[in-house]
Amino acid sequence: GAVVSQHPSWVICKSGTSVKIECRSLDFQATTMFWYRQFPKQSLMLMATSNEGSKATYEQGVEKDKFLINHASLTLSTLTVTSAHPEDSSFYICSARDPEVRPKETQYFGPGTRLLVL
Amino acid sequence: AQSVTQLDSHVSVSEGTPVLLRCNYSSSYSPSLFWYVQHPNKGLQLLLKYTSAATLVKGINGFEAEFKKSETSFHLTKPSAHMSDAAEYFCVVTAYYGGSQGNLIFGKGTKLSVKP
């Protein structure tokens, strides 16, 4: 149980284009999903918290117009990197909470998406 | 504020020997604590979690962690390392400040290498 998928697993795009990453909870309904960014050999940095049916909460320093988050259903959240630039190249990881699991802070992570912007 | 410190950035052990990955936390509240493992270019997998039900927590793949309030520690152990244990390990504590209720605070990670 508690499986989270991400698609695509890797993507290469040209500078200036937009890229959409999907995060799905496969066997549970996730009222809350999270998006993280991980730089090489570093820990995870929380970008935003996504609640189903409401606007995402962005961490300080994260541009909400740059990183658009949509959580339209209880099993799907999307992250769109708009007008991507080489500095946006990174490993993006999503996670989801299963409201039936304790402690309630437990998060289940997707396999990550490697983005390379040329 | 809550914080978590992983005392070793890199630990190297021989296959079949014990593993000890150290983690200290700081929290004004009774925290929930987690250990996650990340294999190269993969997402994070939950190894185990502490919820105050029992101080010794058993996880997957033979890993255990003991919550010691007096030492504010939550060290991860395994009696016998396997080659497949080589990965990055993250100690995580829950956040309880401002709008971050229930978010996770990650340690910087410990890279575990296992020698044959």
Side-chain angles (χ1 to χ4, degrees):
Chain A
V3 179
V4 176
S5 70
Q6 273 183 251
H7 179 80
S9 56
W10 60 271
V11 57
I12 301 173
C13 69
K14 292 182 179 180
S15 186
T17 60
S18 294
V19 175
K20 179 185 282 188
I21 303 170
E22 293 186 348
C23 177
R24 294 180 185 272
S25 56
L26 298 185
D27 51 2
F28 64 99
Q29 293 185 325
T31 52
T32 307
M33 289 183 166
F34 303 84
W35 287 95
Y36 294 84
R37 185 171 178 177
Q38 186 178 33
F39 292 99
K41 301 187 187 302
Q42 294 191 27
S43 190
L44 277 69
M45 180 190 80
L46 179 64
M47 298 174 66
T49 303
S50 169
N51 291 297
E52 187 266 337
S54 64
K55 290 183 179 180
T57 302
Y58 289 81
E59 295 299 301
Q60 193 172 7
V62 178
E63 300 175 61
K64 58 183 178 183
D65 295 331
K66 172 79 171 172
F67 299 99
L68 300 179
I69 292 172
N70 184 277
H71 192 162
S73 79
L74 287 172
T75 60
L76 174 63
S77 176
T78 61
L79 168 68
T80 302
V81 183
T82 62
S83 186
H85 286 90
E87 59 265 29
D88 299 323
S89 299
S90 194
F91 192 51
Y92 293 88
I93 306 176
C94 74
S95 70
R97 276 197 202 140
D98 181 345
E100 302 297 319
V101 168
R102 294 295 177 265
K104 61 180 174 61
E105 300 87 357
T106 304
Q107 293 180 23
Y108 297 97
F109 287 81
T113 297
R114 177 77 58 191
L115 171 63
L116 177 61
V117 184
L118 302 177
Chain B
Q2 291 71 42
S3 67
V4 61
T5 302
Q6 291 185 243
L7 298 163
D8 306 292
S9 59
H10 189 195
V11 170
S12 182
V13 300
S14 297
E15 190 175 22
T17 63
V19 175
L20 170 63
L21 305 183
R22 299 183 294 167
C23 172
N24 285 101
Y25 70 92
S26 172
S27 178
S28 303
Y29 302 86
S30 296
S32 293
L33 291 156
F34 308 82
W35 276 99
Y36 285 88
V37 61
Q38 184 180 31
H39 289 89
N41 298 310
K42 301 290 185 184
L44 276 69
Q45 181 183 19
L46 179 63
L47 274 180
L48 49 80
K49 52 187 175 180
Y50 166 74
T51 62
S52 78
T55 56
L56 182 62
V57 182
K58 292 185 184 299
I60 61 172
N61 301 335
F63 284 94
E64 292 183 348
E66 186 171 8
F67 174 74
K68 292 187 177 180
K69 186 175 181 179
S70 60
E71 299 176 10
T72 61
S73 69
F74 190 57
H75 301 334
L76 182 70
T77 60
K78 182 173 181 177
S80 176
H82 192 272
M83 295 297 291
S84 61
D85 295 327
E88 190 87 19
Y89 291 79
F90 293 97
C91 182
V92 180
V93 67
T94 44
Y96 292 101
Y97 55 90
S100 303
Q101 304 292 332
N103 285 358
L104 301 183
I105 298 174
F106 286 80
K108 293 186 182 298
T110 298
K111 182 178 180 180
L112 175 65
S113 299
V114 182
K115 297 175 290 187

